Amino acid sequence: MSRKTTDRLATGTIYAFVGVVVAILCGLIGYILITGIPDISWHFLTSAATAFTAGGGIRDQLFNSLYLLLLTLVISFPFALGCGIYLSEYAPQNWVTGLLRMAIEVLSSLPSVVVGLFGYLIFVIRFNLGFSILAGALALTFFNLPILTRSIEEALQDVPNLQREAGVSLGLSNWRTITKIVLPIALPGILTGIIISAGRVFGEAAALIYTSGQSAPTVDYGNWNFLSADSFLNPMRPAETLAVHIWKVNTEGITPDAVAISAGASAVLIVIILIFNVGARFLGQRLYQHLTASKSK
Amino acid sequence: MTAIMTSTDVHLAYGAKEALHGFDLSFKQHEISALIGPSGCGKSTYLRCLNRMNDLLPDVTITGTFKLGAQDIYAAKVDVVTLRQRVGMVFQQPNPFPFSVYENVAFGLNVVGHYAKADLDQRVETSLKQAAVWDEVKDHLTENARTFSGGQQQRICLARVLAAQPEVILLDEPTSALDPISSAKIEQTLLTLKANYSIIIVTHNLQQAARISDQTAFFLNGQLVENTPTQQIFIKPQQKTTSDYLNGKFG
């Protein structure tokens, strides 16, 4: 075979593989959207789920998913940021750092159902939190922490060392170099990391079945007192999320329109995750432009 | 003229491998001193001892004494952050922060103190003028410093260092990534600056050393071969190796 033919063959093979991956992805997303979107209506998004009759919506599940995501990020972001800064900027090359990295790697490959059962034992039972948003958020933090830490570390590592040298040689302290120079430069990358991990958290079901529970009690969306039992903000109430709802409707749903609800809810889930991803890119770019003042030119 | 920086019995090792083998070298105030020598001779390594940038590398051992004025800069009580403000540095690759020109220079200023807005504006302008880049950037102060040419970026970096009001400016091959015209501008700037600052420059460009420096130190294999007034070293070097290097017999 001549070199030219080999080259063409190799290129063709690579394109074929890429084509297969893209086809699978488009087919999957397309199928979910095509079967689901007709079931989405304003009524579907804004009414409560029903147990036995048709015509139930996903209002509470949608809100629960977003609220849980927010709480998870509020809890996990500070830890991940600290850990990422440590690993990227301070950690010496020794066995302690090696152990830490390995721990993060292992944690990130834990099956989410294991994280869920662990969360059930420790938060729901031992700490007596019951099935609650808080227990769910803590379990999801376990799940989210390694990925977020890794992506923050990578974003910081992408900042060229010359920038650190410039800061330090100018007489900035280490801390000020990190906060005033390295972090702002890494911010778009960090943001992208947060939003992509948010997508994963948003679609998570297995870790939540045993922690935030499978029921969505009726809550009062006008009650802003998060200590009151029927407030939508109360973190101690059980909360079925969208992903859990899809699982539950499919396994034990007895409403006549279970199939339609599941299809609609899946489409909503996918659309929101797509919005996260597109939003991440857009926001990251905007933020970078803003921070680097590269506007008019 | 008095010496601004002195170093005696300088040894430096990366791990077990010694890179600087023990020599004395001092620099006079308000002069330009050039460090020359072939690649890998230790001149940049030595330069980075003078503001303790080598501290950032793991596993580096430095012995000997380094003094800024009368102060031992490696003494335990020395604040490295203050030292680096007093001994500024410009690098081989222009490395402005990816922020606006104004912010870049303001970073240097905020190291020394906090200023009112009007005062800050004034000092940013002064620093950029000192670095001879003001005319080119004055209408673009809010633009990203990275969008300028390499030569302009390097002068913005110089302005940033000047804003921190150092006593000594270290330059590590500042023009090796630049075209001849930009290099000439930097050289011109340095000649003006030496009235108020002491400048130590590592350069691969022998003509550059000859054009701008008052004193030239020749390094070879981690040793200082000789340190002679520039006018002399290029005409009548004291050592044969220096003469061989300057005549292009090696390096």
Side-chain angles (χ1 to χ4, degrees):
Chain A
M1 231 177 349
S2 76
R3 281 183 191 176
K4 225 171 172 178
T5 335
T6 320
D7 184 54
R8 255 191 229 145
L9 201 69
T11 315
T13 317
I14 290 168
Y15 273 103
F17 282 132
V18 174
V20 170
V21 173
V22 172
I24 293 175
L25 194 71
C26 290
L28 209 64
I29 294 180
Y31 177 76
I32 294 174
L33 292 182
I34 288 166
T35 48
I37 283 181
D39 298 313
I40 301 176
S41 63
W42 185 243
H43 172 80
F44 182 65
L45 292 175
T46 55
S47 54
T50 53
F52 308 108
T53 53
I58 54 164
R59 177 191 69 197
D60 301 323
Q61 285 76 11
L62 190 56
F63 173 77
N64 288 344
S65 284
L66 292 168
Y67 188 39
L68 194 64
L69 171 65
L70 184 76
L71 272 187
T72 305
L73 287 179
V74 166
I75 299 171
S76 54
F77 179 66
F79 287 103
L81 184 65
C83 215
I85 291 178
Y86 174 78
L87 283 173
S88 164
E89 308 295 318
Y90 290 97
Q93 293 285 11
N94 59 22
W95 65 272
V96 182
T97 311
L99 196 71
L100 188 64
R101 277 181 206 282
M102 204 174 79
I104 291 174
E105 209 134 300
V106 170
L107 197 59
S108 75
S109 54
L110 272 188
S112 58
V113 67
V114 174
V115 174
L117 287 168
F118 173 77
Y120 173 71
L121 287 176
I122 191 150
F123 302 123
V124 177
I125 306 291
R126 169 69 57 173
F127 294 164
N128 213 10
L129 294 177
F131 287 123
S132 60
I133 295 188
L134 188 59
L138 290 171
L140 283 185
T141 296
F142 276 66
F143 179 73
N144 191 30
L145 209 48
I147 307 155
L148 199 54
T149 302
R150 181 58 70 79
S151 66
I152 291 176
E153 187 197 347
E154 267 166 25
L156 294 172
Q157 279 297 305
D158 281 347
V159 177
N161 220 9
L162 272 174
Q163 298 293 333
R164 295 186 182 85
E165 286 196 330
V168 168
S169 75
L170 210 52
L172 292 173
S173 67
N174 230 345
W175 180 239
R176 279 186 70 187
T177 304
I178 292 171
T179 50
K180 302 275 173 168
I181 296 163
V182 178
L183 274 180
I185 297 175
L187 200 57
I190 293 176
L191 195 79
T192 312
I194 293 176
I195 297 180
I196 285 172
S197 78
R200 284 190 44 146
V201 166
F202 196 74
E204 179 54 37
L208 292 175
I209 294 172
Y210 307 104
T211 49
S212 61
Q214 304 171 35
S215 59
T218 323
V219 289
D220 177 4
Y221 286 93
N223 185 348
W224 288 80
N225 177 8
F226 66 89
L227 294 174
S228 123
D230 69 341
S231 163
F232 69 112
L233 290 176
N234 184 352
M236 301 312 291
R237 67 181 171 89
E240 183 191 34
T241 65
L242 205 52
V244 173
H245 189 59
I246 294 170
W247 169 79
K248 200 177 156 197
V249 162
N250 273 303
T251 49
E252 48 196 63
I254 45 173
T255 52
D257 58 348
V259 173
I261 289 177
S262 151
S266 303
V268 170
L269 197 72
I270 290 277
V271 166
I272 291 179
I273 289 174
L274 285 177
I275 292 174
F276 279 162
N277 280 280
V278 174
R281 268 159 217 260
F282 178 73
L283 211 62
Q285 255 164 20
R286 284 295 298 273
L287 205 60
Y288 187 76
Q289 280 169 0
H290 175 74
L291 281 171
T292 58
S294 52
K295 41 182 177 46
S296 58
K297 186 123 199 192
Chain B
M1 241 187 285
T2 50
I4 178 98
M5 291 201 92
T6 51
S7 55
T8 42
D9 196 24
V10 176
H11 286 268
L12 178 144
Y14 294 111
K17 191 170 169 285
E18 195 173 79
L20 299 176
H21 305 305
F23 53 83
D24 302 348
L25 184 56
S26 59
F27 304 96
K28 294 192 187 113
Q29 199 170 21
H30 299 171
E31 276 200 352
I32 298 180
S33 311
L35 310 182
I36 60 169
S39 298
C41 67
K43 55 195 189 305
S44 289
T45 302
Y46 172 74
L47 189 77
R48 294 167 73 97
C49 290
L50 299 175
N51 65 344
R52 293 187 57 173
M53 284 302 276
N54 286 326
D55 290 16
L56 302 181
L57 303 173
D59 217 14
V60 172
T61 325
I62 302 166
T63 57
T65 21
F66 292 83
K67 281 185 179 168
L68 173 61
Q71 187 189 24
D72 180 354
I73 62 174
Y74 279 86
K77 61 177 192 306
V78 167
D79 178 16
V80 186
V81 168
T82 316
L83 168 73
R84 293 192 185 126
Q85 177 265 308
R86 294 175 63 192
V87 184
M89 188 169 215
V90 175
F91 296 80
Q92 181 174 5
Q93 281 297 328
N95 57 354
F97 305 127
F99 309 135
S100 70
V101 175
Y102 186 95
E103 284 172 296
N104 264 278
V105 182
F107 257 108
L109 279 164
N110 285 325
V111 168
V112 220
H114 286 284
Y115 297 93
K117 174 79 174 125
D119 205 15
L120 200 62
D121 288 350
Q122 185 53 48
R123 281 170 185 270
V124 166
E125 182 178 336
T126 312
S127 304
L128 286 165
K129 276 182 177 160
Q130 275 185 300
V133 71
W134 171 253
D135 290 333
E136 290 151 74
V137 301
K138 66 179 175 203
D139 299 323
H140 312 279
L141 289 177
T142 56
E143 274 169 41
N144 188 338
R146 292 260 184 90
T147 55
F148 293 89
S149 76
Q152 289 167 331
Q153 289 187 26
Q154 196 63 300
R155 278 174 287 147
I156 292 170
C157 290
L158 186 58
R160 185 173 68 183
V161 169
L162 292 171
Q165 301 167 18
E167 293 155 54
V168 181
I169 303 170
L170 309 176
L171 301 107
D172 191 357
E173 299 182 43
T175 61
S176 65
L178 306 182
D179 65 275
I181 294 167
S182 304
S183 303
K185 282 187 183 160
I186 300 255
E187 286 178 20
Q188 211 49 54
T189 314
L190 293 178
L191 284 171
T192 337
L193 287 175
K194 79 168 184 178
N196 300 307
Y197 303 89
S198 309
I199 295 168
I200 305 172
I201 178 171
V202 164
T203 179
H204 266 290
N205 183 336
L206 298 176
Q207 283 83 5
Q208 183 172 64
R211 277 193 298 267
I212 65 172
S213 71
D214 301 293
Q215 188 84 14
T216 299
F218 172 54
F219 283 70
L220 185 63
N221 299 330
Q223 266 298 348
L224 174 67
V225 177
E226 67 173 283
N227 179 32
T228 317
T230 303
Q231 284 176 326
Q232 231 172 28
I233 201 169
F234 284 94
I235 298 163
K236 202 164 167 281
Q238 293 161 357
Q239 303 291 330
K240 187 172 177 306
T241 38
T242 315
S243 158
D244 288 348
Y245 178 71
L246 295 177
N247 289 313
K249 290 194 180 156
F250 69 92

